[in-house]
Amino acid sequence: MNPASRRTVLTALATAAVSGPLLGTLTASPAHATGDLDIYASNTDLYTKLAGQEGVEFSRRYRRHEYADHSPAQRYPYNRTTVMAMHGGGIETGTSELCLAIAGYHPATLAPLADGHGVFDYWMFEGLRSSGNRDLHVTAKNCDDHVAVSMAASSLNVLSLHGCTAAQAGTVPQAVVVGGLNTRFKTLLKAEFDTAGIAWRDGNELPDLAGVNTDNPCNRTMLAKGGQLELTTELRAAMFTVNTRAGRAGSTTEVFDRFVGACRTAITKLEKGTDQIIL
C-alpha cells in the first residue's frame, strides 16, 4: 500500500482506534506531549527538588563511545547518532528498552546486537517509582540535563523516543508518529516502517507531537535537526509479553524486533547520506 493510501486508511480508522481495546497488559496513561501537567520546570529543577533521590525515584543512564583526536594533521569524524529516551522507565513505558536496542544493545544484557549496524551513543532519563511516575515528566523542550544537551550538541543526528496514546495520535491503536526537523530522516523512517508493517503518521499533522521545537534536544544537534518518534500505548504494549519494569527487557516480541530493525536501518542509511557531513 502506498503512503497516501495508508494514511487514508489510518484517518478512516481513527475514531475506532480511539475506542479500541488495549493490547497486552500495559494500560493507557495520560498523554505527555506537552508540559501542561509538569510539576518540574526543567531537569535541573527536578534534580534540585529531588536531591538525593537519583537511583531511588529516578535514574539517568547514558553511554558515550570514546573518540580521540590527537593529531593536528588529520581530521577525525564527528559522532553521528545519539538515541534518547527522555521519559523512560515508568514514565513512558517501553522507551528505555527501545533506546538501548536502537542504540545497538540488548536491553536485558547490554550485549551488542549482531545485526551489522554497529552501536550508537544513548542517553535516557527513567522514572523508578512504583506509581506516580507521570510526576517526573519534563517536557522535551525544557530538558536541560547537561549530559543530554552536550551529547545532542556533539552529534550530527538524534533519534528521540516518546510515548503517546492512540487518541492523541488520532490513528489506529498500534502506530508511531514520525516527527523532528530532519525531513530526510523522517522519509527514511517512514519507508522502513512501511517495510516492517508498522503504521505511522507524520508529525506535521499533529503540532503537539511534531517534535519541531528548536529547544527539543532532538533538534539541538550539530545540524540543528533530528528525529522524534511518538509510539502509542498499544504499540509499546505489543512489544513485550511482561509489561513491568523488571520484565520488559527480557520479554521483547517480534513487534519490538521489527520496530528496532526499522529504526536501525533508517539510521544507517541516513549516516551514509551527504546531508550528514559537516566541515
Side-chain angles (χ1 to χ4, degrees):
M1 180 182 296
N2 64 52
S5 298
R6 185 195 46 71
R7 286 195 296 271
T8 300
V9 171
L10 291 181
T11 302
L13 294 175
T15 302
V18 171
S19 59
L22 295 180
L23 302 178
T25 59
L26 184 65
T27 57
S29 57
H32 303 322
T34 67
D36 297 345
L37 300 177
D38 284 2
I39 294 175
Y40 305 102
S42 65
N43 286 69
T44 297
D45 184 37
L46 184 150
Y47 301 155
T48 300
K49 292 176 179 175
L50 294 182
Q53 293 304 302
E54 184 166 4
V56 179
E57 294 196 35
F58 69 91
S59 69
R60 293 175 289 178
R61 285 195 281 169
Y62 64 90
R63 182 163 187 167
R64 304 183 81 155
H65 297 86
E66 183 178 5
Y67 290 86
D69 184 354
H70 299 296
S71 171
Q74 291 181 294
R75 175 183 177 275
Y76 288 81
Y78 295 104
N79 182 50
R80 290 196 171 272
T81 300
T82 295
V83 185
M84 293 187 165
M86 299 179 198
H87 310 128
I91 306 172
E92 293 169 355
T93 49
T95 57
S96 292
E97 292 77 18
L98 284 166
C99 179
L100 290 169
I102 294 172
Y105 297 94
H106 191 288
T109 65
L110 299 185
L113 301 181
D115 61 359
H117 291 293
V119 294
F120 311 112
D121 288 0
Y122 63 82
W123 179 92
M124 68 183 78
F125 175 89
E126 299 178 289
L128 302 181
R129 295 173 174 174
S130 58
S131 63
N133 283 286
R134 172 61 183 84
D135 291 346
L136 300 173
H137 180 277
V138 175
T139 196
K141 67 180 181 180
N142 293 333
C143 176
D144 64 351
D145 180 279
H146 71 284
V147 175
V149 172
S150 67
M151 290 180 73
S154 60
S155 300
L156 293 176
N157 187 55
V158 163
L159 180 61
S160 185
L161 303 158
H162 297 262
C164 66
T165 64
Q168 186 180 16
T171 185
V172 294
Q174 292 188 39
V176 58
V177 178
V178 184
L181 287 175
N182 192 327
T183 55
R184 172 62 176 159
F185 194 20
K186 289 175 60 177
T187 298
L188 291 170
L189 285 164
K190 290 183 282 190
E192 295 303 324
F193 289 143
D194 280 338
T195 299
I198 296 169
W200 57 266
R201 187 172 181 185
D202 196 300
N204 289 341
E205 303 169 5
L206 301 160
D208 285 343
L209 303 180
V212 295
N213 192 297
T214 55
D215 289 332
N216 187 325
C218 81
N219 298 317
R220 297 179 68 174
T221 67
M222 296 178 72
L223 300 176
K225 59 184 180 180
Q228 175 177 289
L229 299 177
E230 294 269 2
L231 292 81
T232 62
T233 304
E234 293 84 354
L235 177 58
R236 287 175 286 128
M239 293 181 173
F240 310 97
T241 59
V242 181
N243 279 305
T244 63
R245 183 160 61 89
R248 278 189 294 271
S251 68
T252 57
T253 69
E254 59 87 23
V255 178
F256 181 93
D257 293 339
R258 284 192 284 117
F259 190 94
V260 168
C263 292
R264 286 175 59 75
T265 300
I267 291 172
T268 296
K269 290 181 177 179
L270 179 71
E271 290 189 347
K272 293 179 179 178
T274 56
D275 61 341
Q276 285 289 286
I277 297 174
I278 187 169
L279 299 178

